[in-house]
Amino acid sequence: MFAVAWGGNEFTPLLVMYRLYHGFSPVEVDLFLFAYVFGIVPGLLLGGPLSDRLGRRPVLLPAPLLTILGSLLLALGADSAALLVAGRVLCGVALGLGMAVGGSWVKELSGPDWDPAAGPGAGARRAAMSLTAGFGLGAGAAGLLAQWAPWPSALSYGVHIAVAVLATAALLRAPETRPAQPAHERAPLTEDLKIPSAGHRRFLFVIAPLAPWVFGSAAAAYAVLPALMSDRTDVPLAFSAVMCLVGLGAGFLIQSLGRRIDDPRNSRGVVVALSFVIAGMLIAVVASFVLTVPMALFASVVLGCGYGMALVSGLQEVQRIAGPDDLAGLTAVFYSLTYLGFATPAIMAALSETFPAVTYPVMFGFGAVAATGCLILVLVKWTAHLPREELADSQ
């Protein structure tokens, strides 16, 4: 999960490089950023249910190989939109498999059969922290290498390939937690792709309103704000990397506290997450207006906390709701909704170019209002539709 997250986010701090030195427009580079969602969503929606059917290892094993191929195309395609899009899509497929299948695998390995010392919520916390560490270190390494090391458009991808090779070796040693179903017992594939828990009212009214803010807030922190700041610093690539590290570092730290913040008897974790998102959006209004380094970093920290808490609280809610046969599938649906937020930079760039009156402070202000609406809905559903078993265990 760490390796495919590294491959998914190493591209982000390089957006400034592709815009400044390779001739792509702001809208184009943001579309390159979003392109990997077209790989993530199929990887999530197909990989999760297939791993419930075929076992975790066979479905996850291609992920590091795909992310290696994706990084290779990105390294070779700095001036080619087609190669950049293809590389991003392959990295997206790998990340989708890693998130849905890997997240379910980690959750099962964090249970009493494999890890008796793991407490409630350990699986969600470990999965979220693995992803966040990969997102942060991948972006940080890529930005710093591109700023000061040789071969700025290729070296960082080579480093990721080495990381993914090591991950492949580790993956082969991980114990299988869900053996493949015997062929004669398998239902038609179309039946496996159905995810009954996705219709759970808790999912619809608490998790779904939260999900797009996971990467909506993250993208604002480490894609939108660094782009706005690129003319205000002498080292734009390094500053973009620092913004990624600061935002995702804050997310990583708050995820380590996720168990203490989350409460299975109510929506406290989700409310805390949306509160950080709202505060981050309001700070981003000021940061995008004054365009100073301290305000940009402050906004990145708060938005990063929103991302981190939204991810871990959403996963904990999902793992309480999911049935025994659709954990990977429901995890995939949740992650698919989270990646809607990655359209934010491209939409904001397009609106800014098309309608000059729609400034970035105005758009961040609209984001704060929209997040407030989601928070109100979650507060209304504070204790509604809780899974009975989880509620009983917590009392």
Side-chain angles (χ1 to χ4, degrees):
M1 293 183 74
F2 173 83
V4 295
W6 182 304
N9 209 38
E10 63 184 336
F11 189 84
T12 305
L14 305 184
L15 296 176
V16 175
M17 177 186 76
Y18 291 115
R19 181 170 61 84
L20 294 179
Y21 309 127
H22 294 276
F24 295 107
S25 72
V27 175
E28 286 175 322
V29 297
D30 287 333
L31 287 173
F32 295 155
L33 178 68
F34 184 67
Y36 87 141
V37 174
F38 293 102
I40 287 172
V41 173
L44 285 169
L45 295 180
L46 294 175
L50 283 174
S51 75
D52 286 336
R53 176 189 185 96
L54 303 175
R56 306 303 186 208
R57 189 196 317 278
V59 181
L60 188 58
L61 191 57
L65 307 179
L66 290 171
T67 201
I68 288 170
L69 181 56
S71 272
L72 182 60
L73 292 180
L74 292 170
L76 297 173
D79 296 302
S80 168
L83 286 179
L84 291 176
V85 169
R88 290 292 288 160
V89 170
L90 286 174
C91 287
V93 175
L95 182 55
L97 293 173
M99 295 173 86
V101 184
S104 301
W105 201 353
V106 168
K107 193 265 184 183
E108 290 159 352
L109 287 171
S110 301
D113 291 341
W114 297 97
D115 186 359
R125 190 169 61 254
R126 290 168 175 176
M129 292 175 72
S130 298
L131 289 172
T132 300
F135 288 146
L137 293 178
L144 296 176
L145 289 172
Q147 184 71 65
W148 287 302
W151 314 301
S153 60
L155 182 59
S156 61
Y157 298 118
V159 172
H160 169 247
I161 289 171
V163 170
V165 168
L166 294 175
T168 306
L171 182 61
L172 294 171
R173 296 172 57 87
E176 178 63 80
T177 57
R178 188 176 180 92
Q181 296 175 350
H184 66 277
E185 295 180 6
R186 295 175 191 170
L189 182 58
T190 53
E191 292 297 316
D192 279 358
L193 296 178
K194 295 178 180 179
I195 305 166
S197 297
H200 195 290
R201 291 187 179 183
R202 185 78 176 171
F203 186 87
L204 296 176
F205 294 118
V206 175
I207 301 173
L210 170 75
W213 296 108
V214 173
F215 290 113
S217 56
Y222 58 64
V224 178
L225 288 174
L228 295 178
M229 290 292 298
S230 61
D231 296 331
R232 301 298 181 102
T233 175
D234 295 331
V235 285
L237 294 176
F239 182 74
S240 183
V242 169
M243 288 282 283
C244 289
L245 284 171
V246 166
L248 290 167
F252 183 86
L253 290 175
I254 201 168
Q255 285 169 351
S256 67
L257 302 174
R259 181 183 175 187
R260 298 180 182 179
I261 297 172
D262 181 75
D263 188 338
R265 297 168 296 183
N266 52 51
S267 303
R268 186 170 68 188
V270 176
V271 167
V272 170
L274 287 171
S275 299
F276 272 117
V277 171
I278 294 166
M281 290 291 170
L282 292 173
I283 297 167
V285 170
V286 179
S288 61
F289 181 76
V290 300
L291 293 178
T292 63
V293 169
M295 282 304 302
L297 291 172
F298 183 31
S300 182
V301 168
V302 181
L303 287 167
C305 288
Y307 149 80
M309 195 61 215
L311 180 58
V312 73
S313 63
L315 284 174
Q316 286 174 322
E317 290 276 358
V318 163
Q319 291 180 3
R320 286 194 285 263
I321 290 170
D325 295 323
D326 65 355
L327 171 62
L330 191 63
T331 302
V333 174
F334 169 68
Y335 278 133
S336 298
L337 293 175
T338 68
Y339 270 97
L340 294 175
F342 249 111
T344 302
I347 292 171
M348 294 178 78
L351 287 173
S352 179
E353 289 188 3
T354 307
F355 306 103
V358 184
T359 62
Y360 277 89
V362 169
M363 289 185 279
F364 280 124
F366 176 78
V369 172
T372 300
C374 294
L375 176 60
I376 292 171
L377 175 59
V378 171
L379 286 171
V380 169
K381 299 294 184 179
W382 178 250
T383 58
H385 317 304
L386 289 167
R388 292 182 180 178
E389 295 82 0
E390 186 70 30
L391 183 60
D393 290 344
S394 66
Q395 290 178 338

